[in-house]
Amino acid sequence: MAHTATYDTAKYPPPPPETEQERKGRIIALFVMAFLMVTMMYATYMGTMHAPQARDLPVVVAGMGAEQTAEGLRAAVGDTLDVSVVDVKDATAALTDREAAGAVVITDEGATVQTAMAGGASRASTAQNTLVPALSGLGVTVVGVEDVVPLPEGDGTGTMVLFAAMGFMLAGYVPLSGLINGTPNLLRSRIFVPLSIGWGAVMSTIIWTILGPVMGAVDGHYPLFLGVGTLAIAAVSNTMHVFTRLLGPFQVLAGMLLLVVFGVPASGLAMSLESMPGFFQVMHHVLPLGQAGEAIRSVIYFDAADAWPHVAVLAVGFVVTVVLAALLEKRQGAAILAAPLYQAPDAPLSALAGGPVAPYGRRLFAAAAFPAAIVITVVTLMSFGMAKAQMSDMPVAVVGPEAATTPFIAGVGEQLGDYVDLRAVEDLDEAEDLLMSQEIVAVYVPALAPGTSPELVTAGGAGAAQQSAATQIFTQIAAGGAEQGFGPLKTRDAAPLTENDLGGSNSLYVGMAWIMAGFLLTAVFRGGASEISRTRALLPMYAGWAVGMSIWFWFLFDVLIGAVNGHVLTFLGAAAFTIFMVSWASAVLVRMFGLGALIPVMVLVMLAGVPASGGGLSIWMVPEYFRFAADVLPLPAAVDIARSVVYFDGVGVGRDLLVIGIWGVVGLLLNFFVVDPYVNRASAPAPAPMGPKVMPERGAKKSDDDAPADDVDAVLVDA
């Protein structure tokens, strides 16, 4: 439908009408933008994290026979560990100084393996899990395992540092797109630099409040947290300012690549840095995510002993990017590639891309509120769902005659309390069917006579974390029967992880890629093609995107990376179905209310589903209400499809497809019968004009005070 302009067209002439060729080029660019964003993220994450192998993880050995033990470890584990010999007095210090991931202290009684979980849970766990069996294989008695710098109760998974640093990155990265669109006048260096510092202080305080007083993951340390956070956010903001001056709106791709896509594997905050390819180990020393995370870790857990080198990197990054942005501005003037030509407060600009013309005050509010809401939502949901991991009500079948299982469940159930939910099953085959349908986590078969051994059956494909927890619990239970003459625990993995999925996280990345491909397309089209206001016009575009991306994801994950093998037709069908349905479920709110509605959409289809999916942590380790969410949200269903097809012969896939289908069908119907009439109503405001925009002439020097509208070297280009 035609719209009448709601602004002074004499003062701000609209761009010339868009040709059909230009329109097609714009639509293609939107598809390319979405394709690159999804591909960059999940190609890197899947490529680096599907089968991590530690290399040269530093450990120290001290005490009696240290040289001999060190030589034995080198021969036993190859290049997994980098083993050094130190004096006993220096062994623990190597951990607290974060020079080593593990320490072995040998006395006449045996060896004590020391780690510092606060220095990195993945790093410490890898060191411990490698050292203990290797020492046993050398005939060295391990008399104990000691955590010399333990994590606090509020941060049981050690992820607080990652969530804090990711919050800093988002706070610095997200606002620039909104500033280009709605308030480009704020991108003058003399305005932007102090704004970035103030913004950093505000957002650091908010992040500290979430992780500290609200979640209990941080105890105090506010001044140093504020300092590191402010510096990190300001450094990232000014880095994005440089990208904006060089690339205009496409800064989002460069920022995403360096700060998030490369930043996460290079940070050492999610997985040990020694398990990442060498490129990321080098990038760790310059990218802000890892440097901010290491500085916060040092501040919170190590009395800021080694924080200052990391702070120095952030400070250098801040100064260099401020200078670069100023030099670029001196060369270009206020003109920014493909930014709005009109920048005055009364210019016809929208608060968020694709929206109607908004007054300046609303645009200022949106420039702050939208990125702040994203940061708050991500940090809150992730920390609330995953920081305080604690096993509860883990379902385990106890197999045997009633006369044996009843007293066992009564005794062990009282001993374990809420950790497990024991249920009696008489037939082993029935119990294993429950295991393969993922209704239970493990099957325990108690020993019935002296000389026999109990057996534990698990399924690694259902989740490495819950398998490890079940094995640890029932190993201790079985050890208690040694005095009665029962043998040691026998274990069997009914659905072992493949060699290309060592951490069991592949299904999570597959599911997240499908979901992101679905909701991201709706956001990109709402911001860059809001004139397409009919569902019937979007239908073939969404369908083509779903089919095309399903083929690309299969080629990427299977052929190029090798993380997902076989099941080609099932993968293609499930991927296309999920992407298509999630697109329509997401489009309801985004099409009706604009990009601001992307935040609740992200919560529903992605963020709340991460802890509910069991793809990272076990569903039995997160707060209980996420277990309900696991049965109704699309991401857990998508993850379960990817997991079940590979490990469980497709058991439960029909239920998962039904969940996703309900979201999609309801969304499609709402788009036809609610959204279309709403966005095409007679009183609907017209979208803000998508131009004219500015293309600075290369090499032209501009005065800092020249207004872009008066710039004689600017070339007008319509959107």
Side-chain angles (χ1 to χ4, degrees):
M1 61 179 292
H3 293 281
T4 302
T6 57
Y7 60 93
D8 187 348
T9 56
K11 183 177 181 181
Y12 297 111
E18 188 178 43
T19 67
E20 184 62 24
Q21 185 176 4
E22 289 169 338
R23 179 181 179 277
K24 289 179 179 178
R26 174 164 56 88
I27 299 300
I28 291 172
L30 295 176
F31 279 113
V32 172
M33 174 79 78
F35 172 82
L36 290 175
M37 293 178 74
V38 177
T39 299
M40 285 193 309
M41 180 170 290
Y42 291 102
T44 304
Y45 289 177
M46 184 72 88
T48 58
M49 300 183 189
H50 72 282
Q53 295 280 2
R55 295 288 185 272
D56 298 321
L57 190 68
V59 300
V60 297
V61 181
M64 298 176 58
E67 289 285 357
Q68 181 180 355
T69 301
E71 287 297 327
L73 286 173
R74 295 186 188 107
V77 301
D79 62 357
T80 300
L81 301 180
D82 179 9
V83 185
S84 303
V85 177
V86 300
D87 294 335
V88 173
K89 61 182 178 61
D90 297 325
T92 303
L95 295 174
T96 57
D97 292 343
R98 295 200 283 167
E99 296 174 357
V104 180
V105 181
I106 308 171
T107 66
D108 54 359
E109 295 181 355
T112 299
V113 175
Q114 296 181 336
T115 59
M117 292 295 286
S122 174
R123 194 169 187 247
S125 297
T126 302
Q128 178 179 316
N129 294 337
T130 305
L131 284 170
V132 171
L135 289 168
S136 299
L138 296 174
V140 178
T141 302
V142 178
V143 295
V145 176
E146 181 183 1
D147 187 356
V148 298
V149 189
L151 291 163
E153 183 179 351
D155 184 27
T157 60
T159 51
M160 178 279 296
V161 171
L162 173 61
F163 298 147
M166 278 301 300
F168 298 157
M169 297 304 104
L170 290 173
Y173 162 74
V174 175
L176 270 293
S177 295
L179 293 179
I180 295 174
N181 176 79
T183 54
N185 59 305
L186 299 181
L187 291 174
R188 296 290 187 95
S189 290
R190 66 173 184 265
I191 300 174
F192 184 80
V193 173
L195 272 181
S196 70
I197 296 172
W199 173 254
V202 171
M203 293 309 300
S204 297
T205 300
I206 291 174
I207 294 169
W208 176 86
T209 302
I210 294 170
L211 296 175
V214 176
M215 298 299 173
V218 177
D219 184 14
H221 301 90
Y222 171 67
L224 288 175
F225 191 104
L226 173 66
V228 172
T230 301
L231 181 58
I233 294 171
V236 171
S237 296
N238 284 277
T239 299
M240 294 304 299
H241 189 198
V242 172
F243 289 158
T244 300
R245 294 236 160 237
L246 292 172
L247 303 172
F250 295 101
Q251 50 79 27
V252 67
L253 294 175
M256 184 178 185
L257 182 66
L258 283 180
L259 301 174
V260 180
V261 174
F262 286 172
V264 171
S267 70
L269 303 179
M271 303 187 73
S272 66
L273 193 61
E274 290 81 4
S275 65
M276 294 292 105
F279 168 77
F280 293 103
Q281 297 184 32
V282 173
M283 296 298 286
H284 170 78
H285 300 290
V286 296
L287 293 182
L289 178 60
Q291 297 303 301
E294 294 296 348
I296 288 295
R297 192 196 305 279
S298 180
V299 164
I300 302 299
Y301 298 127
F302 296 93
D303 298 324
D306 61 343
W308 307 116
H310 306 295
V311 170
V313 173
L314 296 174
V316 169
F318 171 70
V319 172
V320 169
T321 52
V322 167
V323 172
L324 282 175
L327 291 175
L328 288 169
E329 183 176 335
K330 184 177 181 181
R331 181 183 181 186
Q332 299 172 343
I336 295 176
L337 175 69
L341 181 66
Y342 308 136
Q343 297 187 10
D346 63 342
L349 302 176
S350 61
L352 294 173
V357 172
Y360 189 59
R362 189 183 303 166
R363 285 185 273 137
L364 287 174
F365 175 78
F370 183 69
I374 288 180
V375 173
I376 292 169
T377 301
V378 171
V379 174
T380 301
L381 272 177
M382 292 298 97
S383 59
F384 197 59
M386 304 179 75
K388 294 183 178 181
Q390 184 175 355
M391 187 65 72
S392 66
D393 300 322
M394 181 174 66
V396 176
V398 180
V399 176
E402 184 177 353
T405 58
T406 299
F408 178 87
I409 291 175
V412 172
E414 182 178 354
Q415 178 182 346
L416 296 177
D418 293 334
Y419 283 100
V420 296
D421 175 16
L422 301 176
R423 55 191 69 176
V425 178
E426 293 190 4
D427 182 66
L428 180 59
D429 289 338
E430 179 186 351
E432 291 196 21
D433 287 342
L434 293 173
L435 178 66
M436 297 302 287
S437 65
Q438 301 182 69
E439 294 181 40
I440 60 174
V441 170
V443 177
Y444 185 74
V445 184
L448 300 180
T452 61
S453 295
E455 182 182 18
L456 180 71
V457 186
T458 57
Q466 65 186 31
Q467 181 186 46
S468 176
T471 302
Q472 182 178 359
I473 290 172
F474 285 96
T475 297
Q476 296 175 358
I477 295 297
E483 296 180 359
Q484 286 77 41
F486 297 117
L489 180 70
K490 295 180 180 179
T491 60
R492 176 162 57 92
D493 193 340
L497 292 167
T498 67
E499 62 181 9
N500 296 320
D501 188 19
L502 297 180
S505 59
N506 286 6
S507 58
L508 176 63
Y509 295 132
V510 169
M512 291 179 71
W514 295 350
I515 297 294
M516 184 174 176
F519 79 76
L520 184 62
L521 186 70
T522 66
V524 168
F525 266 72
R526 182 61 175 85
S530 58
E531 79 280 1
I532 304 178
S533 59
R534 294 290 181 183
T535 297
R536 64 174 180 270
L538 291 169
L539 200 57
M541 296 183 184
Y542 284 10
W545 169 258
V547 173
M549 288 305 293
S550 68
I551 296 171
W552 168 243
F553 282 143
W554 166 77
F555 184 75
L556 176 66
F557 295 150
D558 189 337
V559 179
L560 296 183
I561 297 176
V564 178
N565 298 316
H567 313 285
V568 178
L569 294 180
T570 303
F571 184 100
L572 292 175
F577 181 79
T578 301
I579 295 168
F580 184 73
M581 291 300 178
V582 170
S583 295
W584 289 112
S586 305
V588 175
L589 294 180
V590 173
R591 288 184 64 211
M592 285 188 73
F593 304 113
L595 287 183
L598 182 62
I599 295 172
V601 167
M602 288 173 58
V603 171
L604 288 173
V605 302
M606 177 74 91
L607 296 177
V610 173
S613 70
L617 288 176
S618 169
I619 191 65
W620 308 106
M621 293 180 174
V622 297
E624 188 171 351
Y625 39 81
F626 283 112
R627 299 172 195 172
F628 167 77
D631 296 325
V632 298
L633 294 181
L635 178 59
V639 171
D640 192 61
I641 291 172
R643 178 195 296 130
S644 183
V645 167
V646 174
Y647 294 112
F648 300 102
D649 297 324
V651 174
V653 167
R655 176 197 62 224
D656 299 324
L657 291 174
L658 178 62
V659 170
I660 295 171
I662 290 173
W663 280 85
V665 170
V666 171
L668 186 57
L669 292 174
L670 288 174
N671 273 279
F672 267 119
F673 299 111
V674 177
V675 179
D676 278 7
Y678 179 80
V679 299
N680 292 286
R681 68 194 189 279
S683 60
M690 300 185 68
K693 297 187 178 182
V694 64
M695 187 72 71
E697 183 177 307
R698 291 184 179 273
K701 294 184 178 181
K702 309 291 185 287
S703 168
D704 185 59
D705 295 323
D706 285 343
D710 299 327
D711 189 349
V712 296
D713 293 314
V715 179
L716 296 184
V717 291
D718 52 85

